[in-house]
Amino acid sequence: EGTTDYIDKTLSSMAPKELLVERGKKSRAAEAFAHQCSVFELDDWLFTTTAADERLRKQFGTASLKGFGIDRMENAVIAAGAILHYLDLTQHTKTGHITSISRIEAGRYVRLDRFTTRNLELFEPLDPDGKSLLGVLDRTVTPMGARMLRRWLQMPLKDPSAINVEHFFRDSDMRDRVTEHLRTVGDLERLVSKVACQRITPRELVLMRYALEAVEPLKVLCSAAEQPALKALGEQLNPCTTIRDRIARELRTDAGTPGNKDEIICPGVDAELDELRDIAFRSRDYLAKMQEREVANTGIGSLKIGYNNVFGYYIEVTNTHKTKVPADWIRKQTLVNAERYITPELKEYEEKILGAQDKIEVIQARLYAELVAAVAQFIPALQLDAALLARLDVLSAFTRVALENRYNRPVVDDSLDLELVEARHPVIEKQLPAGEPYISNTVRLNNEHTQVMMITGPNMSGKSALLRQTALNVIMAQIGCFVAAESAHIGYVDKI
């Protein structure tokens, strides 16, 4: 909710894939907002306060929206309600994990319009062979860490007290161990959303178990750290041992892999399932033993047990040995040189074999659905774990990139001073030929002496580089990263 300019800036920052608009206003939205994405039209009744308020209260199970602080934000409520109605229309009915709503307060973040974002090459280089700031800073090892870093760059914090710029991993051994464990976490954030939608595959559930197994050592490492922020992060991590152990106990490690697409539930979980598997997968041995037994009982050495799609399982005896056939055998088919029979035992086993695979699939589906439902009970804890691990990944990445590129910790406060001593352009310096140093610059701005700097010089003398390196270093500080300078003092910044 806000001005067209604010909404346009928010769309540029969020970079959504799809924009929902009231039917008949598609062209108006395209004219108002430069961000390129798919536009989907919904019926006008969905864009009413009544419809939206009702849908949101149903989602959150509340009598009103006052507790979320959005009850007076008519347009925002309508927008949120339209999104939930859209999920209903597109059959995304498993939305129980969406339990809250909050406003993205524009006043909390540094203002970056789309032109600034583009010209500073925050996410995409202007030159196809160039680099972006994201490309330089992104040393994350998990997809969710990479997404969090991108969000931080899209919306740098404005409040100096909220920015925590610290050297988190002074211990190189600990840093390496944290990175090693993070690599096994994978995309826990996406896996949790798939659990909520009940669309998680057995293979993905195994990956979730591996992620939770990595949480425990990460919790121990962070809890033992000296830095208060890391210690606090470690205390919040939850290995969810109950559900982690249940997944390990019930779901085969190779479930869903190309070599094993059928068996997903471990032996010992369900007695009936184990019995059916014994029938289905060991039927050849059973039938071979039955054949040996009947040969011994009847003395018919050429007796054999076979199968076809029309008559099922049968015992075949040549006409030479017809007189030896027991009286309780039932003739099933007559051939030119042989007769085929069925026995009550073989008929019973045939029914078991033919029905076993279908029953196996039904039982496995039931057990797997029960397991996913049990995992869903842990969604709040898993969502918190995913957010904490993503944060840990970003902070670890900041440490690695700071050490490799000789970045230093800035002083960030609520003054109006800006001082970058021997600063460098963090992207250009990575593109220089090996051994060629970047010529650093010092910039000082404050309200008492120098509020404005006029930069002059010939073409290609570095004017734009100086402007951009100042902006980029400020942004790096605002997201909690060290900066490309010998030292830095960065005061209150609300717009770049």
Side-chain angles (χ1 to χ4, degrees):
E1 175 157 328
T3 64
T4 302
D5 184 53
Y6 163 72
I7 295 169
D8 188 44
K9 180 259 176 185
T10 305
L11 288 175
S12 297
S13 296
M14 291 294 189
K17 292 288 186 289
E18 193 166 24
L19 185 64
L20 306 180
V21 300
E22 188 177 334
R23 194 170 302 283
K25 297 184 179 179
K26 185 174 182 178
S27 59
R28 183 179 165 191
E31 290 173 8
F33 308 121
H35 181 72
Q36 298 298 313
C37 64
S38 299
V39 179
F40 188 84
E41 294 182 304
L42 294 172
D43 291 339
D44 56 1
W45 71 268
L46 294 175
F47 290 85
T48 61
T49 306
T50 303
D53 187 79
E54 181 182 342
R55 183 61 184 86
L56 287 169
R57 286 189 288 106
K58 176 185 174 184
Q59 180 70 29
F60 305 131
T62 57
S64 74
L65 300 176
K66 286 185 179 180
F68 300 106
I70 62 167
D71 54 307
R72 296 181 183 276
M73 301 175 61
E74 183 177 331
N75 289 327
V77 168
I78 289 174
I83 290 172
L84 290 177
H85 279 299
Y86 174 70
L87 292 177
D88 296 337
L89 291 170
T90 52
Q91 304 300 310
H92 289 84
T93 56
K94 306 297 182 182
T95 58
H97 60 298
I98 303 175
T99 57
S100 184
I101 183 170
S102 60
R103 185 188 185 194
I104 300 171
E105 297 177 30
R108 292 188 59 205
Y109 305 102
V110 175
R111 170 75 188 278
L112 295 167
D113 61 39
R114 64 175 182 273
F115 303 108
T116 300
T117 299
R118 179 63 176 150
N119 289 327
L120 287 179
E121 301 177 286
L122 294 185
F123 305 107
E124 299 292 337
L126 295 171
D127 184 344
D129 298 324
K131 270 194 171 187
S132 64
L133 181 63
L134 180 64
V136 172
L137 298 183
D138 190 0
R139 300 297 304 280
T140 57
V141 295
T142 69
M144 54 194 182
R147 287 194 295 271
M148 178 171 280
L149 173 56
R150 189 180 186 91
R151 288 197 298 271
W152 287 6
L153 271 177
Q154 286 169 341
M155 307 180 78
L157 289 171
K158 184 164 63 176
D159 182 5
S161 63
I163 300 166
N164 193 348
V165 186
E166 186 167 352
H167 193 174
F168 276 87
F169 297 97
R170 296 185 179 90
D171 184 341
S172 61
D173 180 56
M174 177 189 175
R175 182 174 65 248
D176 292 341
R177 288 162 66 192
V178 165
T179 301
E180 181 182 341
H181 290 304
L182 281 172
R183 289 186 191 279
T184 65
V185 167
D187 201 344
L188 181 59
E189 189 175 48
R190 287 285 168 87
L191 294 178
V192 174
S193 69
K194 289 192 172 188
V195 168
C197 299
Q198 296 183 14
R199 294 183 178 182
I200 191 166
T201 67
R203 183 61 191 154
E204 289 169 335
L205 206 53
V206 171
L207 294 177
M208 176 174 281
R209 169 197 151 192
Y210 291 153
L212 290 175
E213 286 175 351
V215 169
E216 196 152 15
L218 285 169
K219 180 180 179 68
V220 173
L221 283 168
C222 293
S223 299
E226 295 179 2
Q227 289 84 1
L230 268 185
K231 192 181 289 289
L233 190 150
E235 290 170 355
Q236 293 179 78
L237 282 172
N238 182 357
C240 301
T241 53
T242 303
I243 197 64
R244 180 198 69 193
D245 293 345
R246 180 172 174 180
I247 295 172
R249 187 171 60 252
E250 296 187 7
L251 200 61
R252 287 177 56 118
T253 303
D254 61 350
T257 59
N260 180 33
K261 293 182 179 179
D262 299 324
E263 274 191 81
I264 62 172
I265 303 298
C266 291
V269 174
D270 186 274
E272 184 182 3
L273 179 62
D274 291 343
E275 181 183 355
L276 289 168
R277 280 176 176 163
D278 191 63
I279 292 169
F281 302 130
R282 295 174 178 82
S283 59
R284 288 186 180 180
D285 293 340
Y286 185 91
L287 293 172
K289 290 177 181 177
M290 181 187 290
Q291 182 173 306
E292 289 177 8
R293 188 175 71 247
E294 294 300 341
V295 167
N297 291 340
T298 61
I300 305 174
S302 60
L303 176 153
K304 67 178 182 179
I305 295 178
Y307 174 83
N308 67 36
N309 293 327
V310 178
F311 294 100
Y313 286 95
Y314 56 82
I315 300 173
E316 186 172 297
V317 178
T318 59
N319 291 335
T320 307
H321 300 287
K322 277 199 305 186
T323 56
K324 298 179 182 178
V325 172
D328 61 342
W329 286 18
I330 303 167
R331 185 161 50 216
K332 198 168 187 179
Q333 184 182 14
T334 300
L335 304 178
V336 176
N337 298 316
E339 297 281 354
R340 288 177 176 175
Y341 301 86
I342 187 75
T343 68
E345 179 189 6
L346 186 58
K347 183 65 178 174
E348 181 183 352
Y349 197 73
E350 176 188 59
E351 292 174 356
K352 282 186 176 182
I353 294 172
L354 296 180
Q357 193 58 52
D358 290 338
K359 289 179 181 178
I360 285 172
E361 291 177 6
V362 171
I363 293 173
Q364 284 202 135
R366 173 177 59 80
L367 293 172
Y368 183 70
E370 291 173 358
L371 181 58
V372 172
V375 176
Q377 300 300 311
F378 290 79
I379 283 176
L382 293 169
Q383 287 176 324
L384 178 59
D385 277 345
L388 292 171
L389 292 172
R391 183 178 181 83
L392 186 63
D393 190 16
V394 174
L395 297 175
S396 179
F398 282 172
T399 303
R400 284 194 295 277
V401 78
L403 290 170
E404 291 172 6
N405 299 331
R406 298 181 298 108
Y407 294 167
N408 289 291
R409 181 181 179 178
V411 174
V412 180
D413 58 26
D414 58 359
S415 70
L416 295 177
D417 295 343
L418 174 60
E419 182 175 333
L420 293 167
V421 178
E422 300 301 330
R424 314 182 307 274
H425 192 298
V427 179
I428 293 178
E429 72 171 356
K430 300 297 291 182
Q431 297 174 295
L432 293 174
E436 183 176 330
Y438 184 87
I439 305 302
S440 58
N441 302 275
T442 296
V443 174
R444 291 186 176 91
L445 291 168
N446 58 63
N447 265 14
E448 293 182 8
H449 301 101
T450 309
Q451 289 181 320
V452 178
M453 295 181 72
M454 181 179 292
I455 305 172
T456 64
N459 291 342
M460 303 302 292
S461 62
K463 300 186 299 296
S464 296
L466 177 62
L467 287 169
R468 290 189 172 100
Q469 78 181 36
T470 303
L472 291 175
N473 278 299
V474 168
I475 290 171
M476 288 165 65
Q478 301 298 104
I479 65 172
C481 183
F482 282 20
V483 299
E486 293 299 318
S487 65
H489 179 189
I490 297 171
Y492 187 84
V493 175
D494 64 349
K495 182 179 179 181
I496 295 175

